[in-house]
Amino acid sequence: MRPLRRAAATAAALVTSALVLTACGSPGAGGPDSAAGKVEGRVTFQTWNLKANFKKYFEGVISDFEEKYPGTKVTWVDQPAEGYPEKLSADAAGGTLPDVVNVSPDLAYPLARAGLALDLEKAAGKYRKEYLDGAWESHRMPGMTGVYAFPWYLNTGPMFYNKELFSKAGLDPRRPPTSYDQLFRDALTMARKSDRKIAMLAGTPSIEDFGRYGVRLMNARGTEFTFNEPAGVELLEHYKKLYAAGALDSQALTAQAESAGRKFQQQSVAMNPGSAHDLENFKKEAPGLYRHIGITDAVNNTGKANMYVQGLMVNAQSKVKPAAVAFAHFVTDRKNQMAFAKEVTIFPSTKGSLDDPYFTKEDGTDATRVRVAAAKSLKTAVNYTPVLLSDQMKTVLRNAVAKAVQGKQSPEAALDGAVAECNRLLKTA
């Protein structure tokens, strides 16, 4: 199963979007956004690296759909994770895009721009109330009206913290930071009380952190990045102070997720994002840390955690549009999403599902500790990362943050330069 974090797929999808647009025409080329008509015909359904581990589950869902709609037949195609964006672009250019396609928001964007993604707000708006607000909105594309995929499975990262390190610094381990102001205060306190031996964090802010801080990342039309606004500059000013005080790990400027995790495991960093898998590793590899693990939401000023989301897009040029919409909805309905969530550590995007005891009751195991914490935060979570932010743009931002944190450039100048370069890249994409 491919990870929910979007990583390299973003850049590949945006690079190939030019081919998609050239091959398929302008937005709306797929005809009217209508799914009216009899649910019948052969539906092609494409997923992304799911068949190896979940064949039985999907075959069951398909069988149930075909039984509910006797005039339908579903052909399931599963593509490997490697090269998936390029495969989508090639299918789009060749007119062989499946009827129902597994996409993340960044992969849906060029297809929606090309008129190949059905606007489900028009074609299937009656189902909108079934999904969490943030999940439904995650496939709304900048500069366009409408929503271009049914939200499917979700994830989010809880934050782990070391209760013992909090106590030694005179901080209340029962009250980890929930706002950035509290995080900055506590981080400076921890660095001071530990004589700079313990840092609160091991990484610099990413675009998600700017979003959680309350920074407006793009303008309303989705035509320009705006993360250099005063709130963005303010965030970097704080990180610059943390770095100077030893509250940000000395290797934070070059840290990867794996190295940050090791720092936390070695108990030289007090807070770090993670997953149920990490918690199991702590129990085996770092029992001293495991005894003092606390679990909380990632810090934010917005009241909303970050959401990683997958969706099911319907091909606007499908010849069996009513059946394709019906099937995409069927796969993402409450019953089938709930069943899938019990097969793997993901979360349903349907309203009410996260209130199920499976997501609210702990049984003393690591898996339920993390599952309950994550499910609680997902109810109001949003996808902060703009669909237009490519990996190249992420590198631009990361370099600007490093210069500002080290004092090589003012936070304002660093972000102004990053926004200018990202907007230049946006225009040439």
Side-chain angles (χ1 to χ4, degrees), residues 343-360:
E343 296 274 339
V344 63
T345 308
I346 53 92
F347 299 86
S349 61
T350 43
K351 283 183 179 176
S353 295
L354 298 178
D355 294 321
D356 187 278
Y358 183 73
F359 296 110
T360 59

Side-chain angles (χ1 to χ4, degrees), residues 42-230:
R42 182 177 293 273
V43 175
T44 53
F45 167 48
Q46 180 169 288
T47 52
W48 187 350
N49 195 29
L50 295 174
K51 200 164 197 172
N53 295 319
F54 308 108
K55 182 180 179 184
K56 184 177 179 181
Y57 167 78
F58 283 103
E59 287 179 344
V61 171
I62 290 168
S63 177
D64 290 346
F65 178 78
E66 291 173 347
E67 183 178 345
K68 182 176 181 179
Y69 298 101
T72 62
K73 185 71 176 176
V74 177
T75 300
W76 177 27
V77 178
D78 188 63
Q79 300 291 348
E82 185 176 355
Y84 189 70
E86 292 85 353
K87 172 63 175 169
L88 284 182
S89 184
D91 284 343
T96 57
L97 198 68
D99 300 297
V100 177
V101 185
N102 179 189
V103 291
S104 50
D106 56 313
L107 294 182
Y109 175 73
L111 298 172
R113 283 284 307 275
L116 287 174
L118 188 66
D119 179 359
L120 295 174
E121 207 152 57
K122 289 182 179 178
K126 63 182 179 181
Y127 299 126
R128 187 255 178 277
K129 63 182 181 298
E130 298 179 16
Y131 301 93
L132 294 170
D133 292 341
W136 181 263
E137 293 295 319
S138 67
H139 284 90
R140 190 178 297 282
M141 302 301 161
M144 301 178 67
T145 58
V147 167
Y148 293 90
F150 282 110
W152 194 9
Y153 57 92
L154 312 176
N155 224 322
T156 192
M159 183 70 76
F160 293 130
Y161 67 100
N162 188 318
K163 293 181 179 180
E164 184 178 44
L165 294 181
F166 269 65
S167 294
K168 286 182 177 179
L171 301 172
D172 188 346
R174 297 166 300 178
R175 299 185 61 190
T178 57
S179 69
Y180 276 93
D181 282 347
Q182 184 186 353
L183 173 66
F184 299 143
R185 288 196 304 270
D186 289 355
L188 292 172
T189 297
M190 183 163 291
R192 185 175 68 254
K193 291 291 184 69
S194 69
D195 196 23
R196 299 173 66 98
K197 291 184 176 67
I198 306 297
M200 182 69 85
L201 302 169
T204 54
S206 67
I207 195 70
E208 294 168 14
D209 294 295
F210 280 81
R212 284 193 291 252
Y213 192 73
V215 179
R216 188 175 60 113
L217 304 178
M218 294 194 81
N219 64 14
R221 293 170 296 156
T223 57
E224 289 186 340
F225 289 99
T226 57
F227 52 81
N228 61 331
E229 68 174 22

Side-chain angles (χ1 to χ4, degrees), residues 359-375:
F359 296 110
T360 59
K361 303 294 184 183
E362 292 188 28
D363 61 10
T365 64
D366 293 338
T368 59
R369 288 177 69 190
V370 176
R371 185 167 68 223
V372 169

